[in-house]
Amino acid sequence: MAKLYEYQGKELLQKGGISIPKGGIAKTKEEAKKIAEEIGGPVFVKAQAWVTGRTEAGGVKCARNPTEAEKEADEILGMDIKGFAVREVLVEEKLDIDREFYIGMIIDDITRRPTLIFSPVGGTGIEEIARKHPKQVVTFPIDITTGLRSYEARNILRKGEIRGDLQRGLSDLLVKFYQVSRKYEARSAEINPLVLTKQGRIVAADSHIVIDDYAVFRHPELGIEIAREFDRPATPLEKVAYQVEAKDHRGTFYFFQMEGKFEARSGYVGFHGAGGGGSMMSMDALLSQGFKMANYCDTSGNPSASKVYRAAKIILSQRNIDGYFASGSGVASQEQFHSARGLVKAFREATLSIPAVIRIGGNSEELAMEILHDHTKDLPGTVEAYGRDTSAVFCARRLRELVEQWDYGRKGSPKEIRGIPKRSSYHFETLTGTLYIRHEECEICTAKPCVSSCTAGILKFDDGKPILAITPDEAKRGRCTECLACEVACEFHGNKAIFINLPIPGLEEAVRVGA
Amino acid sequence: MSILIDEKMRVVIQGITGREGTARAQLMKDYGTKVVAGVTPGRKGETVHGIPVYDTVEEANEREGPLDVSVIFIPAALVKEAALEAIAAGVKLLVIVPDRVPLFDVLEVAKIAGEKGARFVGPNTLGLISPGKAVLGMIGGRAESAREWFKPGVVGVTSRSGGITSAISYYLGKAGIGQSTIIHVGGDAVVGTAHPDVVQLFEEDEDTKAVVMFGEIGTSQEEGVADLMERGEFTKPLVAFIGGAAAKSGTRFSHAGAIIEGGRGTHEGKVRRLREVGAHVVKDFDEIPKVTMDVLNKL
């Protein structure tokens, strides 16, 4: 879920007609001081972080004057709150509080409706209040096609014993609050506390808004970098991975790091799951064998071979992993040789030198296992592939055995890294890369496995050399499915003439920063 | 018998000319599903694997109807329009395969479907299959695999994970236990047909003797099933596995549904609630076939 910072949420609320405290965002103590001067009077300095319990962690401080605000900002900036490095503080007026309320909106999976939550008692401990005094909390399922009506808002409020002028003011606010939630497609939103000041203003003193990941594409104005749930800002490697996902919608690719830095031989494994349920099950199996997870990754939903390749390259770029474990549900509906080829290309380019266990059961698993076994024999690492009749627990145990016996000193000769050919006689663009064929090699090739291996059927021979049977534009728009079959076939049965360059922008830089 | 789908129901595929639509039309047709039409705007007159293509669902319904089911393979951003089109044309069961459908779009479809007496499975579903009869969506991938993996029988399967839906059914089959209908309810936070809806359908189905459910952390679906059991509205034996024991609260594992919201949705809470009402909750996934066999033998 794409979380917004407090100040971002407040900006949306303000645009929707809801009052927020006077204030501004500061990245330095000097900026904080300046904002405090503009506000005049006492201020709050608040760490901007996607975590709860900022106050308890010392991330929210009151300052009586600009000098104090500067000092507090200096302490808070750079602070680590539950693993979240604070880069910005919100400096805003200290409100003169008369009363506090709670309002929230959440999508209820049972009623399949947005549900408004109101409590006449707000502030920290709302969950405690909801548990102990459920009657203090009013919930109301909203009709998605009409939105929240003003009379509905008044009914919610009267159930919370809110009457008179306050009822009118708050009902207007509830309607606006839902409109903001709906407009920006919040999966959940809350103002806690909503403050009634002694001067009679109703002000949103805090905000927690989470945008629906799947709707982020409709809201470029929010500037959300990664539409995924994170409790911390994304790591450089995660950003690289997300760009891969954003640029290739064939299947799903999800990656996050569970541990950034660790020593070699400390039991960390690069994890490559397939499908949410299968991944969870496989992860449980891995943990049961005493392994630790360097990362979580899921490629599923019939991903292209090129996507699986990029995922594997990203997983393998993590330093000091002792093994590679790929496992899904075990009975995949998709053709598994695509994933197998993606893995093979990544293993070869990265010169795999650790044990890998790949549970790749599903359609065409025999071919998938054959590809994995036959095309990795010459690598210093070892690859064992299993099908649907082998359990995840067995595979995790097998990886344990391999890791325990493995000689991590063994280097082997790195494979010749085949980059972009210098004298490429033929090439065309694919959806996310470029395919090169060194036709001079084809002249002396007798096997010629390339054209028959092409699952999309887009290659043909021209005077014994493979060329496109469709227009380059068609290939680029996706007729070349990047199945990698021609490259793998040519590597092992032909004359090593084909290379598909599938760039992963930022990967090298991310690895450098990570180290 | 079976639930939701059989070999007699007339099926339309929206988005039949796309990558997935074309591939899965083949699967469905080869398996025996009565696919009578496809829809892609502007492509009337074409055929895909011998299936006629029309411009709109209404037109498909006029020419090939009455249509009972629509299977939707449309990019996520356009799913809402496609679903509303099918509902407006009078289709009563929709299978929404794509993932990443915006949540508010799903809520809107749910609202309109409710008003028109239509039901939808998904979004983000692999589909459903009544072994030996018909398949909707992409479960099995290819007809020959679907035939090999899924055998007709008396156990209903409902799952929140696509791959696991196939895996459970395959392992049950290997142990000699066939299935009435297998359904992947979809991996998202809000789905049109959730576990409680499915078990109620299995309750009414004479040929389903027991149900196997794969649950996950997040949402209230498993708790909802427990409530039905407690109230005596679902009375058949239930074997359940809840995934995500190792997941931290707030950590997301690909399925949007696997998020803990409020007090509901924890692994521990779901297991406890289901056990209280007499469900057979297994700890180890690999135990499912054996426990199911034991349950069937006691009937």
Side-chain angles (χ1 to χ4, degrees), chain B residues 90-110:
Chain B
V91 179
K92 296 299 181 212
L93 175 64
L94 280 57
V95 178
I96 302 176
V97 176
D99 73 340
R100 301 179 225 206
V101 179
L103 205 43
F104 278 89
D105 288 2
V106 178
L107 299 184
E108 218 172 311
V109 173

Side-chain angles (χ1 to χ4, degrees), chain B residues 28-90:
Chain B
M28 288 187 253
K29 198 181 165 195
D30 289 354
Y31 192 79
T33 311
K34 202 165 193 170
V35 185
V36 296
V39 169
T40 298
R43 303 285 284 270
K44 156 114 177 49
E46 294 182 20
T47 58
V48 173
H49 306 307
I51 303 159
V53 181
Y54 297 94
D55 283 339
T56 71
V57 181
E58 185 183 86
E59 185 182 28
N61 195 44
E62 284 164 11
R63 305 291 293 274
E64 310 290 344
L67 300 173
D68 301 303
V69 183
S70 175
V71 186
I72 297 178
F73 295 97
I74 302 268
L78 307 173
V79 158
K80 183 180 87 176
E81 279 300 308
L84 296 181
E85 179 183 347
I87 294 169

Side-chain angles (χ1 to χ4, degrees), chain A residues 107-129:
Chain A
I107 308 295
D108 183 350
D109 72 282
I110 300 173
T111 60
R112 299 181 182 101
R113 285 173 173 222
T115 299
L116 198 94
I117 309 162
F118 172 79
S119 166
V121 186
T124 54
I126 177 70
E127 286 180 31
E128 188 75 10
I129 293 165

Side-chain angles (χ1 to χ4, degrees), chain A residues 218-463:
Chain A
R218 291 202 278 227
H219 304 283
E221 73 278 17
L222 298 177
I224 292 166
E225 199 174 21
I226 297 195
R228 296 284 201 202
E229 188 199 2
F230 280 109
D231 291 329
R232 51 171 172 75
T235 65
L237 204 53
E238 287 163 354
K239 288 183 190 173
V240 168
Y242 189 71
Q243 283 312 309
V244 169
E245 169 66 358
K247 288 183 184 138
D248 183 356
H249 282 295
R250 297 166 297 179
T252 302
F253 166 40
Y254 181 45
F255 172 89
F256 70 80
Q257 288 178 280
M258 299 182 75
E259 198 61 62
K261 279 182 189 160
F262 42 84
E263 299 292 312
R265 309 295 335 268
S266 55
Y268 281 92
V269 170
F271 177 72
H272 191 158
S279 296
M280 271 197 233
M281 186 177 78
S282 305
M283 199 170 79
D284 287 346
L286 205 52
L287 297 174
S288 77
Q289 294 304 310
F291 285 115
K292 288 173 274 192
M293 314 239 314
N295 70 284
Y296 178 83
C297 169
D298 174 3
T299 51
S300 55
N302 200 13
S304 57
S306 55
K307 197 174 225 180
V308 174
Y309 156 80
R310 287 185 169 101
K313 280 284 279 262
I314 289 169
I315 292 168
L316 287 168
S317 79
Q318 301 173 108
R319 276 162 211 262
N320 295 338
I321 52 175
D322 292 344
Y324 192 102
F325 190 64
S327 170
S329 69
V331 189
S333 291
Q334 66 214 21
E335 299 295 343
Q336 292 291 63
F337 46 75
H338 294 305
S339 291
R341 292 198 181 102
L343 290 171
V344 161
K345 180 171 165 71
F347 288 168
R348 299 191 69 78
E349 288 183 16
T351 317
L352 183 82
S353 60
I354 52 175
V357 174
I358 315 295
R359 183 167 170 265
I360 198 159
N363 266 316
S364 308
E365 64 181 32
E366 296 79 9
L367 177 57
M369 290 192 285
E370 190 185 305
I371 291 168
L372 281 163
H373 286 146
D374 289 358
H375 300 160
T376 57
K377 280 185 188 141
D378 54 340
L379 294 175
T382 188
V383 176
E384 288 189 6
Y386 295 95
R388 61 180 177 272
D389 289 327
T390 308
S391 74
V393 173
F394 175 89
C395 290
R397 200 179 301 136
R398 189 65 200 124
L399 184 64
R400 167 54 66 199
E401 288 161 11
L402 288 169
V403 163
E404 274 167 12
Q405 300 161 6
W406 197 250
D407 169 16
Y408 284 86
R410 131 154 74 164
K411 282 280 180 284
S413 55
K415 295 310 309 161
E416 177 199 348
I417 305 280
R418 294 235 315 281
I420 300 165
K422 287 191 184 82
R423 291 173 298 133
S424 86
S425 49
Y426 186 82
H427 67 270
F428 58 86
E429 304 279 304
T430 65
L431 198 60
T432 68
T434 311
L435 193 150
Y436 296 87
I437 308 174
R438 294 184 295 157
H439 274 163
E440 62 271 27
E441 304 294 335
C442 304
E443 282 167 17
I444 46 167
C445 173
T446 51
K448 299 201 187 296
C450 46
V451 171
S452 58
S453 71
C454 176
T455 49
I458 59 155
L459 294 178
K460 65 175 182 189
F461 284 115
D462 175 43
D463 194 20

Side-chain angles (χ1 to χ4, degrees), chain A residues 184-197:
Chain A
Y184 296 102
E185 304 190 61
R187 186 184 166 133
S188 70
E190 97 184 0
I191 302 176
N192 184 35
L194 178 70
V195 163
L196 173 68
T197 67

